[in-house]
Amino acid sequence: MLKVILSVLLLAFFSSVIGYQQLQATIQTPLKVATNTQFKVEKGTGFNKLCRQWQQQQWLEDCWRFQILAKLDPTLTDLKAGLYELSADSVINNIKKINQGEQISFSFTIIEGQALRDVLNTVKIAPHLQNDLKLEQLGEQIIGKQTHLEGWLFPDTYHYHSNDNASSLLKRAAQKMQQTLADAWQQRASDLPYDTAYEALIMASIIEKETALASERPLIASAFINRLNTNMRLQTDPTVIYGLGEGFDGDIKRKDLRNYTPYNTYRINGLPPTPIAMPSKEAILAAVNPPKSEYVYFVAKGDGSHQFSTTLKQHNAAVNQYILNKKN
């Protein structure tokens, strides 16, 4: 009788050892995929279906061992739909990635000074982003009011997952711009030549387009504000170009400066009706808190910077130096 008991105990011991080894082997079994393999988990996919899909792809040999593990750890069966990047790590670690919803993250960048039409073109080609935008009601859809969306999207990089809606992404950009503008407006100078935060946004977009140098934005703002304060027209080329729209061929001409559009600041007084681009935070801050200066004029030097002048005589000399001599 003692021999029988010992035999049973010995058999149970070896069975448990073998079972533990099998368990460890299953846990450590690698998923046979190439590096960075993308796999989409459809909504409603269960554990058994996922396992069969991987078996059909020959990424694993059988399912029964993993089904046993799922019985021991039911959290493994909680699968979240989405697009995932699988790796040659263990099968279990890949499943846990799906349990935790660690989807592939895509990035969408709105560039400082980018126009709305360019943002919308980027939406069209953004991978795995659902374009649900209603172009006829874009302002209403994104910021909840009937207005032109130009200027209202904060330049930054936004991350999204497969099948996220473009409207959701742009709403995040709009909320960030609204908050940035509201904060800046609360700290504005007391003697600005415009009365609303929206007018400051318009000015910021013009500042953004006038210079590629962040260090020049304050002086550009100062010069524009000095023009407005003396009832001088802004006379800035980027507004002319914006007014021409897709008709602009890349070379601004004298006839373009004479052509009337609501945005041609050579022809209209004050600010154009809307922003002309997506301004940076720095451009917004320059628009609401410009430094004091006597500058009214500036001309591009050709190296990305500008020569600033206080009088028309100085400005004409600068134009002669940096523009006319260059053409000659």
Side-chain angles (χ1 to χ4, degrees), residues 15-287:
S15 296
S16 64
V17 170
I18 293 172
Y20 177 77
Q21 290 174 339
Q22 286 293 326
L23 178 64
Q24 289 300 308
T26 301
I27 291 174
Q28 296 171 15
T29 299
L31 189 65
K32 299 176 182 178
V33 295
T35 304
N36 303 331
T37 297
Q38 292 188 0
F39 181 79
K40 187 173 185 179
V41 178
E42 300 289 352
K43 188 175 182 180
T45 298
F47 185 88
N48 290 340
K49 181 180 179 180
L50 176 74
C51 196
R52 288 195 301 270
Q53 288 175 331
W54 287 4
Q55 189 176 16
Q56 290 169 359
Q57 293 285 347
Q58 298 183 337
W59 294 344
L60 50 79
E61 294 180 359
D62 54 62
C63 285
W64 65 268
R65 291 180 298 154
F66 303 102
Q67 290 167 338
I68 292 174
L69 277 180
K71 294 290 185 182
L72 297 174
D73 183 4
T75 62
L76 293 175
T77 63
D78 181 19
L79 305 178
K80 294 179 174 61
L83 185 66
Y84 295 88
E85 185 174 273
L86 305 180
S87 67
D89 198 355
S90 69
V91 173
I92 296 303
N93 283 345
N94 278 285
I95 291 175
K96 286 182 176 179
K97 181 183 294 186
I98 299 172
N99 298 151
Q100 295 164 5
E102 296 177 3
Q103 299 183 53
I104 296 173
S105 179
F106 299 92
S107 61
F108 183 95
T109 300
I110 298 173
I111 302 169
E112 296 175 354
Q114 195 170 29
L116 177 62
R117 63 175 175 266
D118 296 323
V119 175
L120 297 180
N121 286 335
T122 305
V123 167
K124 293 177 183 178
I125 61 173
H128 301 283
L129 183 64
Q130 295 298 312
N131 188 355
D132 65 332
L133 299 179
K134 302 173 183 177
L135 299 183
E136 300 298 323
Q137 310 162 38
L138 201 54
E140 185 71 35
Q141 183 182 20
I142 303 304
I143 60 177
K145 57 183 178 181
Q146 294 180 348
T147 186
H148 189 31
L149 197 60
E150 190 72 80
W152 280 115
L153 305 177
F154 190 84
D156 203 351
T157 295
Y158 300 88
H159 298 282
Y160 66 93
H161 294 144
S162 175
N163 290 328
D164 280 357
N165 290 329
S167 61
S168 176
L169 187 151
L170 295 190
K171 282 177 183 178
R172 282 189 278 147
Q175 288 167 359
K176 189 167 184 178
M177 179 60 84
Q178 288 172 314
Q179 188 61 59
T180 301
L181 180 61
D183 291 344
W185 187 245
Q186 289 297 318
Q187 304 170 38
R188 68 188 183 277
S190 59
D191 55 351
L192 296 175
Y194 29 84
D195 301 320
T196 67
Y198 186 61
E199 290 178 330
L201 186 67
I202 295 173
M203 174 62 82
S205 72
I206 298 173
I207 295 167
E208 188 69 58
K209 295 299 291 184
E210 267 292 358
T211 180
L213 295 180
S215 60
E216 282 195 344
R217 288 174 184 145
L219 285 183
I220 294 287
S222 180
F224 279 144
I225 285 174
N226 287 339
R227 291 183 190 182
L228 291 178
N229 282 332
T230 57
N231 294 319
M232 177 181 172
R233 288 177 175 172
L234 289 179
Q235 297 182 326
T236 170
D237 291 357
T239 62
V240 177
I241 293 169
Y242 187 84
L244 293 173
E246 294 184 356
F248 179 60
D249 62 6
D251 180 24
I252 194 165
K253 303 174 179 65
R254 287 188 180 274
K255 69 175 183 178
D256 297 327
L257 303 182
R258 293 192 296 267
N259 181 39
Y260 175 83
T261 74
Y263 291 88
N264 186 346
T265 52
Y266 286 86
R267 296 291 309 277
I268 66 169
N269 297 323
L271 295 166
T274 75
I276 62 172
M278 309 303 173
S280 62
K281 179 179 180 180
E282 291 74 19
I284 294 172
L285 293 176

Side-chain angles (χ1 to χ4, degrees), residues 193 247 320:
N320 185 64

